[in-house]
Amino acid sequence: MGKWRLCWLLLCASALEEVALDTEAESVQEAETECSVCPVRLLDVVSKEGEEDGAGLRLSGAGLEYLEKQRSPLFLVPALGVYRGGKSLLLNRLMGRKAPYAAGFGVGHGQETFTRGIQICAEALPERQGTVVWMDTEGLFSSEDARSAGAGAKIFSLALLFSSVVLLNNLKVLNQQFFVFFEEQQQVARVLREGLRAEGMPSDLLLPENLSIVWVLQQPINFAGTPEAGQAQLDSFLTIQDKARERVRESFRHLIHEVPSATHDARQWPKLDQLADEELLPEYLQATSGLRELLSNELQHARPMQAASIAAHLRMYVDLVQSDHFSISLAREAFEDSHAAQLCEAFGAAAQDLAGEMPCGNLSSALDAAELAIQERQEAVMKDFHLDQAFLSRLKQCFQRKRQELELINQELVLAEWEKEVQQA
């Protein structure tokens, strides 16, 4: 690196050192806070005394705020399935956690379901490529699910509306009871699709297409052993002559992944979350690692969501699955927020392209140029969908947040290079 580059780094670092040190302390504090609070509750199941359906879904303000703070794009991966089926432990393994799974999902040891509603944990992808949001959901077919009179079906339908990829957890055999839930979900999707069409809003922003469903078969009775044999088993299961299965087969992309028992010692089963990796079977470790790799591949072409619009999406979806009714106002809010988030991400990407490799000294001018470059697309969106000044105001706020985010990244990288150069000098 030339002397001018070193001088520039020293100059920038000197000017930013106080700010950067404060920022670093704040970042550490935020990271510690995130670690200590993960998982975060996103959705509660609340009883509704005297009402026919008996239960309602309520979004958590803290959960929405947690999602909005993550780096876009967001890839939402819920685990759905029977209670006491090992969803929580599996998610902890997929997140790379090890016993005792600190800052992971809680694992139950009794006969009743442990997770209630939906809980979430965020995992930042490398190279600032976005965030995977792992989602642990309330177990299906439990006594709590029965008492809540339909909450399980609603959570199932909700998850398939917002997901990037779905984990469908099965224990020992593929569970045909899921098709009842798929039927309800498809009815909800039809209501949304028809409502969007009637309002002249394209469905691709608010309704997933070709969603990947990964059927996870834990502790299989008949272990297929190879991906090809497992897929053949799933295809046979899905092609049984049944109208419900036919619709499910055609509406989603189906994959399967087998996860054998973590141990042959039945005495260890109640405390699997306490066992070190050395005490777990190698085939179990290999299977969970392979499932993470499969999901990573699927997420490369999955539908992401944007942090700036996630709250509006979820409010619309929750209202839809509870009322089975299309809300024009909530759909319009989600639709507008989606466009604002897309324009905002495009603005950020354009600024980074114009600025070149970071850290850089021309970020401010690149940000100004990017905002001008995106203006034509912005005006076209506003014209095509009849968006007003309220939309423009929200968009400008998003641009400002994106500016601050990129400036902070640039500052952190400047400080890192300065420290590196000082150490080498």
Side-chain angles (χ1 to χ4, degrees):
M1 184 178 294
K3 290 183 178 180
W4 70 270
R5 173 70 166 168
L6 177 56
C7 289
W8 178 77
L9 285 170
L10 288 170
L11 179 62
C12 289
S14 177
L16 295 172
E17 185 175 10
E18 183 176 345
V19 174
L21 288 173
D22 290 342
T23 300
E24 184 178 7
E26 290 173 5
S27 298
V28 170
Q29 185 177 6
E30 287 178 5
E32 289 175 346
T33 301
E34 281 190 9
C35 187
S36 64
V37 300
C38 178
V40 176
R41 186 172 298 280
L42 176 64
L43 187 83
D44 288 302
V45 178
V46 294
S47 61
K48 299 194 293 185
E49 295 293 337
E51 294 196 22
E52 189 174 319
D53 61 2
L57 307 180
R58 181 177 62 201
L59 286 166
S60 160
L64 292 177
E65 184 179 356
Y66 177 79
L67 285 176
E68 290 173 329
K69 288 182 177 179
Q70 305 306 320
R71 186 181 301 280
S72 293
L74 306 181
F75 298 95
L76 276 56
V77 183
L80 303 166
V82 297
Y83 79 107
R84 307 299 299 127
K87 297 189 307 298
S88 302
L89 180 61
L90 178 65
L91 285 169
N92 287 336
R93 299 298 309 185
L94 292 175
M95 290 191 293
R97 305 284 199 271
K98 296 183 180 182
Y101 302 103
F105 295 107
V107 178
H109 297 100
Q111 292 304 310
E112 296 185 347
T113 186
F114 185 80
T115 304
R116 299 305 310 272
I118 299 178
Q119 297 184 344
I120 56 178
C121 276
E123 177 188 346
L125 292 171
E127 305 296 329
R128 306 181 188 276
Q129 294 178 20
T131 307
V132 176
V133 181
W134 303 99
M135 315 183 89
D136 197 9
T137 66
E138 183 167 328
L140 304 174
F141 318 123
S142 66
S143 56
E144 290 85 353
D145 186 25
R147 285 195 294 269
S148 64
K154 292 175 182 177
I155 290 175
F156 189 96
S157 294
L158 177 65
L160 267 65
L161 288 172
F162 62 59
S163 300
S164 301
V165 175
V166 174
L167 292 172
L168 202 56
N169 194 55
N170 301 256
L171 188 61
K172 299 186 183 301
V173 295
L174 294 173
N175 194 331
Q176 63 182 1
Q177 290 179 286
F178 283 126
F179 292 104
V180 175
F181 294 104
F182 273 115
E183 280 286 283
E184 293 194 31
Q185 186 277 334
Q186 291 189 310
Q187 172 59 30
V188 169
R190 279 193 290 272
V191 172
L192 177 56
R193 187 177 292 107
E194 291 168 4
L196 293 171
R197 185 184 300 119
E199 292 301 312
M201 291 185 280
S203 63
D204 57 341
L205 284 179
L206 303 179
L207 194 60
E209 299 290 340
N210 199 32
L211 177 66
S212 291
I213 307 286
V214 180
W215 295 71
V216 179
L217 183 54
Q218 295 213 55
Q219 304 172 30
I221 292 176
N222 298 311
F223 185 50
T226 66
E228 295 77 15
Q231 193 64 43
Q233 178 185 358
L234 178 60
D235 291 344
S236 176
F237 176 72
L238 292 172
T239 52
I240 293 174
Q241 293 304 311
D242 178 281
K243 287 294 184 183
R245 297 193 192 205
E246 183 180 341
R247 285 190 290 270
V248 170
R249 187 176 67 251
E250 294 174 352
S251 300
F252 304 96
R253 168 178 159 81
H254 297 276
L255 303 96
I256 189 170
H257 190 86
E258 294 177 305
V259 179
S261 295
T263 176
H264 294 316
D265 186 349
R267 295 170 300 178
Q268 303 280 38
W269 290 349
K271 53 180 181 180
L272 286 177
D273 58 319
Q274 302 169 31
L275 300 182
D277 281 14
E278 294 75 15
E279 300 175 86
L280 301 174
L281 291 173
E283 52 265 36
Y284 173 79
L285 299 176
Q286 183 179 1
T288 54
S289 176
L291 178 55
R292 180 180 170 91
E293 183 178 348
L294 184 154
L295 290 171
S296 178
N297 292 335
E298 288 301 304
L299 289 176
Q300 291 180 23
H301 52 78
R303 178 191 74 152
M305 299 190 77
Q306 304 299 329
S309 60
I310 186 71
H313 277 77
L314 290 175
R315 282 192 291 267
M316 180 193 68
Y317 293 145
V318 168
D319 178 78
L320 177 65
V321 299
Q322 293 208 105
S323 66
D324 202 26
H325 172 74
F326 176 77
S327 168
I328 297 174
S329 60
L330 290 176
R332 172 62 63 177
E333 180 187 5
F335 182 75
E336 292 186 7
D337 279 8
S338 293
H339 278 294
Q342 287 187 347
L343 287 168
C344 197
E345 289 302 311
F347 159 68
Q352 288 179 278
D353 287 342
L354 290 168
E357 184 179 357
M358 295 173 72
C360 59
N362 64 332
L363 180 60
S364 180
S365 59
L367 286 164
D368 292 339
E371 191 161 353
L372 288 174
I374 207 75
Q375 189 167 352
E376 183 177 347
R377 179 178 168 184
Q378 167 190 317
E379 291 172 352
V381 167
M382 293 185 67
K383 179 180 178 181
D384 291 344
F385 299 107
H386 311 288
L387 304 178
D388 57 17
Q389 289 300 310
F391 169 82
L392 183 60
S393 177
R394 292 204 303 275
L395 181 61
K396 294 300 183 184
Q397 291 174 3
C398 192
F399 282 175
Q400 184 59 32
R401 289 194 299 270
K402 180 60 69 173
R403 278 178 175 270
Q404 293 170 349
E405 176 187 321
L406 292 175
E407 287 167 350
L408 178 58
I409 291 171
N410 201 49
Q411 290 172 8
E412 291 173 344
L413 291 173
V414 165
L415 184 62
E417 286 210 14
W418 171 69
E419 291 174 342
K420 182 179 177 181
E421 291 291 338
V422 169
Q423 289 173 357
Q424 293 176 350

